[in-house]
Amino acid sequence: MSDASTPVSAPVVNEAPAAAVAAPAPVSAEGAAPTEAAAAAPAVAAEAGAAPAAPLVNASLYVGELDPSVTEAMLYELFSICGPVASIRVCRDAITRRSLGYAYVNFHNHSDGERALEALNYTEIKDRACRIMWSQRDPSLRKNGSGNIFIKNLDPSIDNKALHDTFAAFGNILSCKVATNEAGESLGFGYVHYESRKSADLAIEKVNGMLLNDSKVFVGHHVSRKERQARIAEQRSQFTNLYIKFLPTEVDDEELSVMFTKFGEITSAVVQRDEEGKSRGFGFVNYKDHEAANRALEELHESEYKGQTLFVSRAQKKAEREEELRSQYE
């Protein structure tokens, strides 16, 4: 939650004091830009009796990844070199007054905002590279998610700037972020939000499967957490494939099949073996229908077989496990 204190403003000659709207919560882990309702609006000169002003071109910038000690004065000193600054607000917790790590810088002119975005994005402030983007005044661009892509298998050396530089060739980027842990270390995935679906499609076509710093990356359309969770829930509720471990070494495919056939018709039963043909102590059984698989899981999980306590669970594909792990960090 941001505080309600008056933002630091640049000196204005022969104009009424600039007014700033309270800033929103920080940008999401998925990289979506802030919405208009929450963004800090540019300062506007007002005169008594003046006719209503025409809609203004956006001149408000979001500045993220800030060190907690960064102040409005520090930001003013940096951004004022690009043009007259109308107002600056570092967003703070209303109770503790601690910085939330992001701010809004409002210029009088859109062209000055463009200059700052181009010249200062990823500039280090207090030993941290800041991340700058336009304060998103069209919430539909964020909500439809059509231009949002997800990148995984990123080399740890790739940061926000490197990701931005890689994908900027395919279209106008609204936001770009590599997911990190509390120590600031890359989690190996990130997001790029383009202004258009066409740019996102082009980036996927050109970069998916390519090597970035010797790591083969996956690039695809971003699927929202809600959609992923619904997909995972459906997979959980309709599983037919079981994973069994702690199998006695003498159990072969035929014996495994006999163990599980009594719960319903199976399509396959395989004990995993090493290069020498020795059992690795685990295997998979796939049923024709979900009900049979569920019965087998409930009956055989943690049951005793030839002196071993079996572990039986729903088998998951690698991609599904990665989806679940990724959702824990968002």
Side-chain angles (χ1 to χ4, degrees), residues 1 19 22 24 33 38-39 76 100 127 139-140 147 162 191 193 221 228 252 303 305:
M1 181 185 302
Y76 178 77
L100 296 175
D127 298 322
S140 65
Y191 305 89
H193 192 183
H221 287 290
R228 291 199 307 273
D252 57 15
S303 64
Y305 186 77

Side-chain angles (χ1 to χ4, degrees), residues 154-159 162 166 210-217:
L154 288 173
D155 185 86
S157 65
I158 294 181
D159 56 12
T166 299
M210 300 295 289
L211 294 177
L212 296 182
N213 287 16
D214 297 325
S215 290
K216 186 177 180 180
V217 297

Side-chain angles (χ1 to χ4, degrees), residues 24-35 62-65 91 100-104 131-134 136 142 148 160 174-177 191 193:
V27 67
S28 70
E30 296 185 352
T35 63
Y62 166 91
V63 187
E65 319 297 331
C91 299
L100 296 175
Y102 65 99
Y104 288 88
R131 184 166 60 91
I132 305 173
M133 60 187 180
W134 290 111
Q136 185 51 254
R142 175 182 62 85
N148 212 350
N160 291 331
L174 299 177
S175 64
C176 174
K177 183 175 177 63
Y191 305 89
H193 192 183

Side-chain angles (χ1 to χ4, degrees), residues 61 75-85 105 107-121 123 132:
L61 297 176
L75 293 176
Y76 178 77
E77 182 177 356
L78 177 65
F79 282 85
S80 61
I81 64 176
C82 296
V85 175
V105 176
F107 286 93
H108 289 289
N109 301 311
H110 178 79
S111 59
D112 294 332
E114 283 186 325
R115 188 179 302 112
L117 181 60
E118 181 177 346
L120 301 178
N121 202 10
T123 295
I132 305 173

